[in-house]
Amino acid sequence: MLNLKQTTSTCLGLVAGGTLAFSAMPARAFSFGNDGILFKKDTMVDFMFMESHGAFKSTLSIVKKNTPTTIEAVLFKENKAAISPANDFLGLCPDTVTAPGGGCQNWFTFEGGVEYSLLLDSGVNKPVGTSGMVYSTDSLNTPTSNQAKFSTNPDGSYLIDFDDKGMGPDRDFNDFSISAKVKSVPEPTALAGLALVGGVLIVSRLRKKE
Ligand SMILES: [Ca+2]
Ligand SMILES: [Ca+2]
Ligand SMILES: [Ca+2]
């Protein structure tokens, strides 16, 4: 009987802790989209270059929101503007685009509590003199505009498609495309699962003792 009480209280403690952590968590534990990139804790994100379809020779970097022209890290760089004008200036890795160290993948550890954005710099844009820089965070664009589309893949990773504003804002959102996988952030579903497992454990143990 003593053993049962100990087991039960341990399980209840586990469930209570799990439920508390779950309910204390906001609907989204982090921001990763057009409102900005912000994690509570230091978080690593893996990036993969998909393809580009823009006439410019572009570079994709990470910046802090408060210092949007200071490059924290270059993720991917077009070493040549495109393979050819065919297929809306198709660019592929490693043919025309690579991470700075070569390869088609890169990663960055975002500091917890610091707001970041992705920056696609296409150099001198059209019309000439217009900034060729577009940000994934809408409010950093001048004037404020949406230049990157975030969508979610079935495996939970993100697809990010940029429109570089070149040749006017044609809104094609294919000028530079990457995928991003957020690592080491506990998912609310995992915590809910833990609470559920704990609950099932109690019920089954109580039944065994009956
Ligand atoms: Ca290009
Ligand atoms: Ca475009
Ligand atoms: Ca394009």
Side-chain angles (χ1 to χ4, degrees):
M1 196 57 200
L2 185 69
N3 189 26
L4 170 67
K5 267 186 185 162
Q6 279 176 338
T7 311
T8 308
S9 63
T10 306
C11 281
L12 282 172
L14 182 72
V15 172
T19 309
L20 193 68
F22 180 58
S23 59
M25 192 173 285
R28 279 173 76 198
F30 56 88
S31 295
F32 197 83
N34 298 121
D35 294 334
I37 297 174
L38 175 64
F39 297 96
K40 276 188 176 173
K41 292 189 287 184
D42 292 5
T43 301
M44 188 191 284
V45 177
D46 283 340
F47 295 94
M48 188 186 290
F49 176 79
M50 305 304 285
E51 53 185 53
S52 59
H53 289 274
F56 297 104
K57 189 173 154 185
S58 307
T59 300
L60 185 72
S61 306
I62 292 170
V63 298
K64 289 179 180 170
K65 194 194 178 187
N66 291 340
T67 50
T69 54
T70 304
I71 306 298
E72 300 296 325
V74 172
L75 286 180
F76 301 106
K77 200 174 172 55
E78 289 195 316
N79 304 305
K80 195 181 159 203
I83 293 170
S84 78
N87 197 358
D88 189 15
F89 298 91
L90 173 67
L92 293 172
C93 182
D95 312 61
T96 59
V97 189
T98 58
C104 306
Q105 295 183 46
N106 206 342
W107 56 269
F108 185 78
T109 301
F110 292 89
E111 195 183 322
V114 177
E115 195 167 346
Y116 293 87
S117 172
L118 299 174
L119 162 64
L120 182 68
D121 188 349
S122 300
V124 178
N125 216 330
K126 300 246 181 108
V128 174
T130 310
S131 167
M133 299 195 291
V134 295
Y135 293 91
S136 60
T137 300
D138 293 355
S139 63
L140 285 176
N141 291 308
T142 320
T144 295
S145 63
N146 179 234
Q147 300 302 144
K149 291 259 182 267
F150 286 74
S151 50
T152 317
N153 292 315
D155 68 351
S157 64
Y158 294 84
L159 190 62
I160 307 166
D161 299 303
F162 279 89
D163 172 37
D164 63 14
K165 282 207 287 192
M167 317 302 277
D170 60 1
R171 318 293 293 163
D172 55 356
F173 291 100
N174 71 355
D175 298 323
F176 209 96
S177 298
I178 61 166
S179 72
K181 179 109 179 141
V182 178
K183 316 280 270 192
S184 65
V185 168
E187 308 240 343
T189 48
L191 287 172
L194 184 70
L196 188 69
V197 168
V200 169
L201 215 63
I202 290 172
V203 171
S204 69
R205 288 197 180 180
L206 285 174
R207 281 200 179 144
K208 268 184 198 165
K209 291 279 175 183
E210 276 171 2

